[in-house]
Every structure is written in structure tokens, then in C-alpha cells.
Amino acid sequence: MNYKTIYNTHILALVLFAVITVLYCYPILNGEKISQSDYMQFLGMSKEIVDFRAETGTEALWTNSMFGGMPAYQISVYYSNNILVYIDKVLQLYLPRPIGIIFLYFLGFYIFMLSLKINPRISILGALAFGMSSYFFIILEAGHNTKAHAISYIAPSLASMIYCFSNKNDNKWMYLITFSFAFLCLGLHLRANHLQITYYLLFILFFFWVNYLINALQHKTISQFIKKTLIFFVAGVMAIAINIGNIWSTYEYSDYTIRGNSELTNTEGKSQSGLNKEYATAWSYGKLETFNMLFPNLLGGSSHTTLTEKSNTYEALRKNGISKKDSQNFIQSVPLYFGPQSFTSGPVYIGSIVWLLFVIALFTLKKRIKWILLTLTLFSIILAWGKYFNFITDIFLNYFPLYNKFRTVSMILVIAQFSIPVLAILGFNEFLKSPMSSSKKRKIILYSFCILMSISAFFVLFKNILFEFSSLSDSQFPPWFINALILDRIDLFNSDIYRSVFFIFLSSLTIYLLINKNNSNQPMFIYILSLLVLFDMWFVNKRYLNANDFELKSKIEAPFKLQDFDKIIQRDTTIYRVYNLNERLDQGARTSYFHHSLGGYHGAKLGKYQEVIDMHISKGNMHVINMLNTKYFIVPDQNRQPIVQKNNEALGNAWVVDSIILVKNANQSISALNEFNPANTVIIESKYDKYLQSFTPNTNYKIQLVEYQPNRLVYNVNAELSCLAVFSEIFYPKGWVAYIDGVQVDSFPVNYILRGLFIPSGSKEIIFEFKPKSFFVSAKISFFSSCLLIITLITSFIRLFFYKR
């Protein structure tokens, strides 16, 4: 290809990616957005933070609307000094979030293909093969935007490593250019702020780094290898520096979350570190479920599949007296999934055509990278099996750094979703360039076709031996309904296998014709193959993200309607908490949207608070509920409609105690919550007894919260004697600072999760402010890093532009 053709192909690729993105999400043209369940929860959990930002123009960094109070780092915090915020918007074509991420899927993988020196036309094929993977659209429908965002930058991040290590020009300017590109790509990935995906990216980078190390040893170029490793490493350090606000705050916070180290110990004196195995492996991918990557509806597809009126389920509903309207409504969300997971939004379908190219690559590609990518694929699949492959899972959970900090082990399949299309496209590119005879190429096509046909035939012939087509959740339905479900599952099972066979046949025929035509016709057949990939993936993805998932932006931005019981509670203008007994404490953010809630919705809540939920709040311990200033309950009435009950025993925002229970450790502290009266007694661990040297009982006092902001609490205190006050606020040591009449003093944890403070006699003003060092120092670091990125990018651009002059 000449330079003009290459340039035109690049333009074609960008236009094509943009058009596909907009056409797939065409409701955005009418001002609509994706209605995402997790985004609704985000709006609930972030309401107080967003309102504070709108009113003051500053970041709250803390919210009291969820779980009694928690840092806002993993909810909604803006880091304005990061130039990558604006670069990312440009790369997404300023498309509404999260639609622009789809464009990034394509663009990132296209850049990666070019870094491997793949023909631009085949690179377009690769970008479509990767970018249309069903999982990437399913997570957008669910609202996992940060995950999708981080995935979109996996490919360009690896591309930056390839450009760095493949650069044979030992020139300081080329080193600067590769450094700038790596700095940019790694920085954009880290800005997406999904550390679990970043963790998986590190596996990919490590495998490729080992490949370059082996090459360096073979060619005796270790000095260059070390130099390039340092360049890439420094670029990674700068990528961390420019995103230091996110990373530092998350790292600091993680130690205190359910993913950190618990202060509680078991009978052997050991504490829990990270997530327990049951929680971490709850979403493990079944071994046979892995074949969903080839046949999307192999195990029923989704836990809420849409059926037609021709389905067995619809007919069964009508025959058993269910009205037409109710039957039509029910088939909009049918639990057809019968795999081992408790529920799923859809399969990880990679594409039947991609698998054909993958098998062709196994026959064709002779380079070491084949084994790197194949190892990555198997590594990803085996770890995704989780509790269904305990031997490997236990090794990683117990011994591999940070692995036990993450849940949903099946998420590691993103590595296979990357490595499989990479190997497929590399092999296909090699297949077309290879000097091997046409007859040998035809044999490879035939062998690949037969392998996939054999797998298809195996599942069709032995399906009744392999599967029972029933799930544990079926027991809630009557037998006649279960029988209809099973018939629909079998129909979907068969139809999707035949569907994959159809696309495998068409693509095999296309490749067969391609190798039998002259080179002038090759682009046409590559574009036909690209079109087949697009059709294959498009209609599967539309099962999970389609026009029905879009709603008007105005409706989405107001996800919860103010009800009468909310209005009753909001008449009280004091600061208090609400306990909604109509929803699980950890499964909904609706209450947080309108009130300060005991519960909420977050995957990284404070660990000590979760322990109190498990051991006390969920069991109705009113001592704990009262000390958390729970002034209102939302409970169901006789008709299961929510009503309000006021709790007159709530202890308020702060109070003074006249006795102390001194305990030895965290175990005794949390256990003592069962047997104390928080109104006059406080539980303190012995390691904090230095704060109690001047303690005297005091019953003559007045303490009142006079000013409230999420990150600033002001109290007026009037006490004749010095006293020990308990504040109904969650203790978090990394950022909350206490002042008495302007002088900084130490607060300390009491009652396991609350704050305590020793107050001298007299009239005092007490201020609690949340000023985490991680946020304010990192803002300066991010600013200087942004300046460095701008300088290196501009310098690199100028050098590239004038490079040949």
C-alpha cells in the first residue's frame, strides 16, 4: 500500500468507527441516553456530592448519604488538574458518556494493530472483531462505565509498549516520542480508574515484556532492552503521577474497606485480608459455559431474556389462563439462563468468525507471540473458572499479590477477549502474506472449518447428556412453566449453534475465495469479512443493548421519584439518618438520593461498617441503630406500602458519656456493642487510653451541631467540666481533622465505628474538617505532570513533523 492509500484507509477507519458507534446508539440523536441500572445507583449515591459541588464549586470528598458516611473517592470526585480529562473527551469525539467508549474500543485496537505493522484494512477487521465483543456492550447496558472505559485503553497501552520496544532507532528523539506515547496511553488507562482491569492489563504487559526479554537474550541486546524498559517504566510512573489523585486516594482508602485488612481476628488469632473466597468467587465462569464465547445462547444467554409470542413460554402462559397482556409483559424478561452463576446479564461472546481466524492462526503463525497469546488465553479462562478450578484459584487468592482484593473472578476473561482476536488477526495477516501454496492454505481453511464443525456437532448430538437445561431458580415456578422454559432453552441452544455454523461457513467461503483471487481483489474480500464480523456481533449485541435501553436524558437524570414518605421525613431539617427496611442495606441507593442512609450501594464500603452491618444492624441491635442517630425508619405497612416511623430513641448528632467500657481489642469492642447503653457509656480500646487520663463523668452539658456540610461539621459545646463526647459520625483516620477553638486536637475511634473527642470545660467551638492529604498534595503533582505531558507531546509532534527534513 502506498502512503496515499494508507492515509485514506486511516480516514476510512475513523469515519467507519464513528458511524458504527452512532448508528448502533442512534437514539442519542434524539437526545436520549442509555438507561443503566448501575448509573441510577450512581446518581443515588452521588446526590449529596454533586449538589455540594454545584453549590460551592468545590469537592466534598466525603458523603454522609451512604453507610453512615464514607469517602467519595470511588463515587464522584473531579480532579481538574489532569489534562487527560480533556484529551479523553476529544478521543471520544465528545459523544455522550458512555457512547464514546464504543468508539474507543475500535480506535484503541486499530492503533494496536498498526503497532504490530498489520495491514490497515486487516486492522479495521481486527478493530471490529475486538470492539464488538458482546461483553463490552453488556457492561455498558448495566452501567459499568469505568470498567468499559479502562478496557478501551488496554490495546493502546500495549501498543505503546510495542512501539517502545520495537524501536530500532537508538536516537534520543525517538526515545522521547515513545516515552510520550506510553505516558499518554498508560495515563488514559489509569484515568479510567478501574484498578481490577488495570491489574489484568499488568498481566498482559508482563507476558509481552518477557517476550522482549527473551528476544534481547537471543540477540544479545540486553543494554538496549534495559534502556527501553526504563523508558517504559518511567512513562508508567508518570502515568501514575498524573493520575495520582485517584490512585493515592484509592490506595489509602483500600486498607479500610472490605477489601483491606480487618481488625477482627479468628480463633487462631488471624485476621481476614482481602475478600473471602466465597465472596471473591461468587461469579465464577462454568467450564462448559466457556463455550459461550463461540455459541452465545449455549446456556440460555441472559437471566432476563426477551422471547417472542411464538415461544413455548408464551404459549404455556396463555394455556394456563394468564392474560395476553400479562403474558406479553412476562416474556420481556424470562430467566432462561441455566448456568452455574446466580444470574448474568449475558455471555462473553467473542464471535464465531473470530474463532475461525483463531484456529487458522494456530496452524499458520509460527512466531513466539502465538504461544504468548495462547498462554494468556488459557491463563484467563482457567482463572475465570474460579471455584470450579479450586487448585489454581486458591494459589492466586492465597499467594498472588493483590489478587484477593478483587471480586468477580470471571472478569479476567477480558484478557481472553483481547488475546483471542489479537492472535486471530495476527494469524490471518500471516496467512495472507505467507508464501505457502494455495492448496496448503485451502487445507488450513478446511481443517479449521472441520474443527469448529466438530465442536458444534458435539454439542448438538450430546446436549441432553451435557445439560439438564434447568437451573436452581426454576424451583419457584410450577412444573408446566418449567417444561416450557426447558423447551425454549433447548430451542435457543440449537438455534445459536446453527447460527454460529452459518457464519463460520460464510467466512470460510469468503477466505477460500480470497486466496483464489488476485491481489487486486483482496481488499474487497477483507471488507466482506469485516462486514460479516460486524453482522455476526451486531445482532447478538442487540439482544443486550438496544433502542429499548435508551430513555430521555431528563428522565434518566431524575431516576427516583419523591414519595409521600420521603416528604414526611424531609420536613425535619435537622441532620439524622434513615433506615429503609424495604430494601437490603447494601443493595440500593434510592434512600441515599433523598436522605442520609444507614445503607447504600457500593462495592468498596468501609470494612468496619460492613462488620457492624453483619453483626448488629441487620440483626436489629437498637443500641447501634440509636448511636448512628437513626431518627426515621421506612417500613412496609399491611399492604406492603412504605410508611414512616419515627425513632424517639435516636441519640442525636453528639452527646457526652459518664462511663467507659475499656476493651483489649477490636473483637471485644464489636462484641460489647450488644451489651451497653450508648447514651451514657462508651466503648474504647485500651490502645487509646491515653486520651482518657483527664476523664471525669459529666452530666451538665450542652452540645449542638450548628453547621453542616459533608466535609465540615461545626458544633457548639457548653460544659461546666471537661467531658468525653461521642459524635455520631464514622471514624476515618485519613483526612478528618478536629479543632477546638481553632486548635487542632486528636479524635479517636469509639463504639467501634464512631468518633470520640475529649473536650475541656467551658464554651467551645468544635470543628471537624475532611482535608485528606492525598487529594490536596496530589492536585499539585497532577498539575506538574500534566505540564510535562503537554511539553513532551508537543515536542514529539514537532520532531515527527520535521523528522525527515
Side-chain angles (χ1 to χ4, degrees), residues 363-413:
F363 286 110
T364 306
L365 202 59
K366 305 300 181 184
K367 300 176 182 177
R368 186 187 303 112
I369 194 170
K370 176 176 79 172
W371 302 109
I372 297 290
L373 293 167
L374 188 59
T375 303
L376 273 171
T377 301
L378 295 174
F379 169 80
S380 172
I381 290 172
I382 290 171
L383 281 176
W385 288 341
K387 60 187 176 184
Y388 305 115
F389 205 85
N390 277 319
F391 173 69
I392 298 296
T393 300
D394 288 345
I395 291 175
F396 274 79
L397 285 173
N398 295 329
Y399 303 109
F400 213 83
L402 302 178
Y403 191 79
N404 64 0
K405 304 295 183 184
F406 305 115
R407 62 173 300 196
T408 314
V409 292
S410 60
M411 197 189 301
I412 201 171
L413 281 175

XYZ file of all heavy atoms in Angstrom, residues 363-413:
446
model
N -2.650 -22.850 13.091
C -1.980 -23.608 12.033
C -0.911 -22.774 11.325
O 0.089 -23.321 10.853
C -2.999 -24.071 10.979
C -3.876 -25.206 11.428
C -5.217 -25.005 11.666
C -3.352 -26.482 11.614
C -6.039 -26.052 12.078
C -4.153 -27.529 12.030
C -5.505 -27.318 12.259
N -1.124 -21.466 11.262
C -0.311 -20.623 10.383
C 0.853 -19.937 11.085
O 1.979 -19.925 10.595
C -1.213 -19.545 9.738
O -2.320 -20.169 9.107
C -0.423 -18.738 8.720
N 0.560 -19.344 12.242
C 1.549 -18.497 12.898
C 2.626 -19.348 13.563
O 2.321 -20.263 14.334
C 0.849 -17.622 13.952
C 1.567 -16.349 14.382
C 1.820 -15.420 13.204
C 0.740 -15.632 15.455
N 3.872 -19.048 13.262
C 4.993 -19.824 13.797
C 5.839 -19.020 14.784
O 6.793 -19.536 15.345
C 5.899 -20.289 12.648
C 5.180 -21.074 11.558
C 4.519 -22.335 12.091
C 3.836 -23.114 10.974
N 3.095 -24.292 11.495
N 5.471 -17.773 15.014
C 6.268 -16.911 15.883
C 5.949 -17.152 17.354
O 4.909 -17.685 17.700
C 6.003 -15.449 15.515
C 6.367 -15.103 14.078
C 5.996 -13.664 13.749
C 6.307 -13.330 12.291
N 5.901 -11.956 11.929
N 6.891 -16.713 18.210
C 6.716 -16.919 19.636
C 5.477 -16.226 20.171
O 4.860 -16.672 21.149
C 7.943 -16.403 20.399
C 7.894 -16.726 21.893
C 9.014 -16.076 22.679
N 10.315 -16.453 22.157
C 11.150 -15.615 21.551
N 10.818 -14.351 21.397
N 12.310 -16.029 21.089
N 5.068 -15.131 19.547
C 3.915 -14.387 20.048
C 2.653 -15.247 20.069
O 1.742 -15.015 20.859
C 3.694 -13.097 19.201
C 2.724 -12.165 19.935
C 3.214 -13.429 17.806
C 2.618 -10.788 19.313
N 2.613 -16.281 19.185
C 1.465 -17.190 19.211
C 1.355 -17.853 20.572
O 0.261 -17.949 21.148
C 1.604 -18.252 18.119
C 0.468 -19.287 18.162
C 0.544 -20.286 17.022
C 1.564 -21.362 17.280
N 1.502 -22.445 16.264
N 2.469 -18.306 21.112
C 2.451 -19.009 22.389
C 2.212 -18.046 23.542
O 1.585 -18.419 24.552
C 3.759 -19.773 22.569
C 3.980 -20.749 21.452
C 4.890 -20.671 20.443
C 3.205 -21.930 21.212
N 4.754 -21.725 19.583
C 3.728 -22.525 20.024
C 2.139 -22.538 21.852
C 3.222 -23.694 19.497
C 1.616 -23.711 21.327
C 2.157 -24.282 20.160
N 2.676 -16.804 23.398
C 2.388 -15.780 24.407
C 0.879 -15.556 24.495
O 0.282 -15.566 25.577
C 3.096 -14.456 24.056
C 4.629 -14.621 24.055
C 2.662 -13.340 25.011
C 5.231 -14.817 25.410
N 0.257 -15.346 23.344
C -1.182 -15.066 23.311
C -2.012 -16.283 23.695
O -3.041 -16.158 24.369
C -1.576 -14.568 21.918
C -1.000 -13.205 21.535
C -1.171 -12.932 20.043
C -1.662 -12.093 22.359
N -1.574 -17.455 23.284
C -2.295 -18.674 23.638
C -2.222 -18.922 25.150
O -3.219 -19.307 25.783
C -1.713 -19.864 22.872
C -2.489 -21.184 22.983
C -3.916 -21.027 22.493
C -1.773 -22.275 22.186
N -1.048 -18.672 25.730
C -0.893 -18.818 27.180
C -1.775 -17.826 27.931
O -2.409 -18.170 28.928
C 0.582 -18.623 27.585
O 1.402 -19.555 26.870
C 0.766 -18.829 29.075
N -1.806 -16.587 27.448
C -2.670 -15.578 28.057
C -4.131 -16.012 28.006
O -4.884 -15.837 28.972
C -2.509 -14.239 27.329
C -1.388 -13.313 27.801
C -1.226 -12.149 26.837
C -1.665 -12.797 29.212
N -4.534 -16.592 26.883
C -5.919 -17.038 26.720
C -6.262 -18.132 27.720
O -7.275 -18.054 28.429
C -6.147 -17.541 25.283
O -5.858 -16.488 24.355
C -7.584 -18.002 25.088
N -5.427 -19.159 27.800
C -5.688 -20.267 28.724
C -5.602 -19.804 30.177
O -6.404 -20.227 31.022
C -4.680 -21.395 28.462
C -4.791 -22.067 27.087
C -3.652 -23.069 26.894
C -6.148 -22.754 26.928
N -4.644 -18.960 30.465
C -4.481 -18.388 31.798
C -5.757 -17.664 32.225
O -6.267 -17.843 33.348
C -3.281 -17.428 31.769
C -3.123 -16.557 32.973
C -2.555 -17.045 34.132
C -3.524 -15.228 32.941
C -2.389 -16.224 35.244
C -3.365 -14.407 34.045
C -2.796 -14.913 35.195
N -6.303 -16.865 31.333
C -7.521 -16.096 31.612
C -8.717 -17.004 31.838
O -9.485 -16.838 32.787
C -7.789 -15.134 30.444
O -9.031 -14.501 30.570
N -8.884 -18.002 30.966
C -10.037 -18.910 31.056
C -9.996 -19.726 32.344
O -11.004 -19.867 33.050
C -10.090 -19.826 29.827
C -10.467 -19.014 28.585
C -11.073 -20.968 30.029
C -10.353 -19.781 27.273
N -8.822 -20.257 32.675
C -8.697 -21.098 33.882
C -8.981 -20.295 35.150
O -9.700 -20.756 36.046
C -7.301 -21.746 33.938
C -7.168 -22.810 32.836
C -7.041 -22.369 35.309
C -5.769 -23.357 32.657
N -8.443 -19.066 35.230
C -8.713 -18.250 36.413
C -10.165 -17.789 36.472
O -10.716 -17.585 37.559
C -7.776 -17.044 36.439
C -6.356 -17.335 36.925
C -5.478 -16.105 36.824
C -6.366 -17.839 38.368
N -10.810 -17.635 35.319
C -12.226 -17.249 35.295
C -13.112 -18.356 35.854
O -14.217 -18.097 36.327
C -12.662 -16.898 33.874
N -12.642 -19.602 35.807
C -13.424 -20.716 36.362
C -13.531 -20.626 37.886
O -14.435 -21.224 38.464
C -12.781 -22.052 35.969
C -12.952 -22.394 34.519
C -13.866 -21.888 33.648
C -12.181 -23.345 33.778
N -13.717 -22.446 32.400
C -12.686 -23.354 32.451
C -11.112 -24.179 34.081
C -12.162 -24.163 31.447
C -10.588 -24.991 33.086
C -11.103 -24.986 31.785
N -12.641 -19.902 38.540
C -12.758 -19.636 39.964
C -12.954 -20.872 40.811
O -12.109 -21.767 40.863
N -14.097 -20.943 41.492
C -14.360 -22.048 42.429
C -14.557 -23.377 41.718
O -14.607 -24.420 42.380
C -15.589 -21.731 43.271
C -16.875 -21.511 42.486
C -17.993 -21.046 43.410
C -19.261 -20.736 42.653
N -20.321 -20.188 43.547
N -14.636 -23.362 40.391
C -14.760 -24.616 39.640
C -13.398 -25.145 39.212
O -13.314 -26.147 38.509
C -15.668 -24.408 38.419
C -17.017 -23.851 38.800
C -17.414 -22.587 38.373
C -17.876 -24.561 39.623
C -18.635 -22.060 38.751
C -19.101 -24.037 40.003
C -19.474 -22.794 39.564
O -20.683 -22.275 39.952
N -12.345 -24.446 39.639
C -10.979 -24.915 39.430
C -10.160 -24.452 40.638
O -9.292 -23.596 40.544
C -10.408 -24.359 38.125
C -9.311 -25.212 37.533
C -9.611 -26.292 36.722
C -7.980 -24.933 37.796
C -8.602 -27.076 36.173
C -6.965 -25.715 37.249
C -7.285 -26.786 36.439
N -10.502 -25.025 41.794
C -10.012 -24.530 43.080
C -8.499 -24.548 43.221
O -7.918 -23.669 43.875
C -10.629 -25.341 44.227
C -12.002 -24.832 44.601
O -12.218 -23.632 44.649
N -12.933 -25.737 44.845
N -7.848 -25.525 42.630
C -6.408 -25.665 42.813
C -5.673 -24.384 42.404
O -4.884 -23.820 43.174
C -5.890 -26.855 42.004
C -4.390 -26.979 42.011
C -3.714 -27.332 43.169
C -3.659 -26.722 40.856
C -2.326 -27.427 43.168
C -2.280 -26.814 40.852
C -1.604 -27.171 42.017
N -5.947 -23.907 41.197
C -5.291 -22.686 40.715
C -5.835 -21.454 41.430
O -5.077 -20.562 41.828
C -5.479 -22.547 39.182
C -4.816 -23.718 38.463
C -4.907 -21.221 38.694
C -3.313 -23.789 38.637
N -7.143 -21.408 41.608
C -7.760 -20.250 42.254
C -7.208 -20.033 43.652
O -6.898 -18.901 44.049
C -9.286 -20.416 42.307
O -9.793 -20.526 40.976
C -9.949 -19.235 43.007
N -7.076 -21.111 44.423
C -6.552 -20.990 45.786
C -5.124 -20.472 45.805
O -4.747 -19.681 46.682
C -6.623 -22.342 46.494
C -8.044 -22.742 46.857
O -8.926 -21.869 46.818
O -8.269 -23.926 47.154
N -4.327 -20.910 44.863
C -2.936 -20.433 44.788
C -2.910 -18.922 44.597
O -2.171 -18.200 45.281
C -2.174 -21.147 43.651
C -1.956 -22.623 44.005
C -0.840 -20.454 43.383
C -1.327 -23.430 42.890
N -3.719 -18.431 43.670
C -3.726 -16.992 43.391
C -4.341 -16.198 44.544
O -3.839 -15.120 44.896
C -4.464 -16.714 42.077
C -3.583 -16.823 40.869
C -3.261 -18.061 40.338
C -3.048 -15.699 40.267
C -2.433 -18.175 39.231
C -2.223 -15.798 39.170
C -1.907 -17.031 38.645
N -5.424 -16.703 45.117
C -6.058 -15.991 46.231
C -5.149 -15.909 47.445
O -5.100 -14.885 48.143
C -7.367 -16.676 46.622
C -8.564 -16.462 45.693
C -9.738 -17.330 46.126
C -8.980 -14.991 45.665
N -4.394 -16.967 47.703
C -3.592 -17.044 48.921
C -2.191 -16.463 48.776
O -1.618 -15.982 49.760
C -3.488 -18.500 49.392
C -4.836 -19.064 49.814
O -5.697 -18.349 50.299
N -5.024 -20.361 49.595
N -1.648 -16.522 47.560
C -0.232 -16.182 47.432
C 0.084 -15.078 46.421
O 1.167 -14.507 46.474
C 0.571 -17.441 47.046
C 0.411 -18.569 48.026
C -0.314 -19.714 47.698
C 0.961 -18.489 49.309
C -0.477 -20.759 48.606
C 0.800 -19.519 50.229
C 0.084 -20.653 49.869
O -0.085 -21.662 50.770
N -0.847 -14.782 45.515
C -0.520 -13.800 44.480
C -0.888 -12.406 44.975
O -2.014 -12.182 45.416
C -1.253 -14.114 43.181
C -0.460 -13.739 41.965
C 0.513 -14.587 41.470
C -0.664 -12.519 41.335
C 1.258 -14.240 40.349
C 0.075 -12.167 40.231
C 1.038 -13.023 39.734
N 0.047 -11.444 44.906
C -0.194 -10.111 45.455
C -1.455 -9.462 44.888
O -1.671 -9.435 43.666
C 1.061 -9.326 45.038
C 2.108 -10.359 44.838
C 1.395 -11.576 44.324
N -2.298 -8.960 45.777
C -3.492 -8.162 45.472
C -4.636 -8.941 44.811
O -5.727 -8.392 44.644
C -3.130 -6.966 44.566
C -2.090 -5.990 45.112
C -1.808 -4.893 44.100
C -2.530 -5.400 46.436
N -4.418 -10.200 44.432
C -5.459 -10.928 43.711
C -6.731 -11.055 44.546
O -7.845 -11.012 43.996
C -4.951 -12.320 43.314
C -5.854 -13.045 42.354
C -5.843 -12.727 40.990
C -6.723 -14.039 42.788
C -6.668 -13.382 40.093
C -7.555 -14.707 41.898
C -7.524 -14.377 40.552
O -8.360 -15.023 39.675
N -6.594 -11.185 45.864
C -7.772 -11.356 46.722
C -8.470 -10.033 47.047
O -9.402 -10.006 47.842
C -7.401 -12.087 48.015
C -6.445 -11.300 48.883
O -6.031 -10.195 48.537
N -6.066 -11.867 50.019
N -8.025 -8.946 46.437
C -8.682 -7.659 46.636
C -9.861 -7.476 45.681
O -10.645 -6.531 45.832
C -7.685 -6.500 46.418
C -6.441 -6.555 47.286
C -6.738 -6.401 48.754
C -5.450 -6.390 49.571
N -5.713 -6.334 51.031
N -9.951 -8.351 44.678
C -10.952 -8.158 43.632
C -12.001 -9.262 43.656
O -11.699 -10.422 43.908
C -10.277 -8.130 42.255
C -9.178 -7.111 42.147
C -7.858 -7.498 41.963
C -9.458 -5.758 42.243
C -6.843 -6.560 41.871
C -8.452 -4.818 42.151
C -7.150 -5.218 41.962
N -13.229 -8.891 43.346
C -14.301 -9.865 43.259
C -14.613 -10.133 41.788
O -14.005 -9.539 40.899
C -15.553 -9.346 43.971
C -16.136 -8.079 43.367
C -17.449 -7.699 43.999
N -18.453 -8.738 43.833
C -19.757 -8.546 44.013
N -20.211 -7.372 44.386
N -20.610 -9.523 43.850
N -15.566 -11.029 41.531
C -15.988 -11.401 40.180
C -14.789 -11.903 39.379
O -14.299 -11.239 38.453
C -16.673 -10.221 39.447
O -17.616 -9.605 40.321
C -17.372 -10.702 38.202
N -14.307 -13.088 39.728
C -13.118 -13.637 39.070
C -13.340 -13.826 37.572
O -12.375 -13.811 36.794
C -12.700 -14.977 39.712
C -12.202 -14.771 41.123
C -13.852 -15.983 39.691
N -14.589 -13.989 37.136
C -14.856 -14.180 35.705
C -14.487 -12.947 34.884
O -14.348 -13.033 33.660
C -16.333 -14.527 35.477
O -17.178 -13.501 35.948
N -14.301 -11.805 35.548
C -13.938 -10.588 34.822
C -12.590 -10.721 34.120
O -12.317 -10.016 33.148
C -13.915 -9.389 35.778
C -13.956 -8.037 35.081
S -13.672 -6.652 36.219
C -14.999 -6.877 37.393
N -11.755 -11.649 34.596
C -10.437 -11.812 33.987
C -10.537 -12.312 32.554
O -9.550 -12.309 31.806
C -9.544 -12.746 34.840
C -8.053 -12.517 34.521
C -9.937 -14.200 34.653
C -7.110 -13.238 35.460
N -11.727 -12.707 32.130
C -11.929 -13.098 30.730
C -11.675 -11.935 29.767
O -11.570 -12.156 28.561
C -13.344 -13.639 30.516
C -13.588 -15.083 30.971
C -15.059 -15.445 30.820
C -12.718 -16.064 30.193
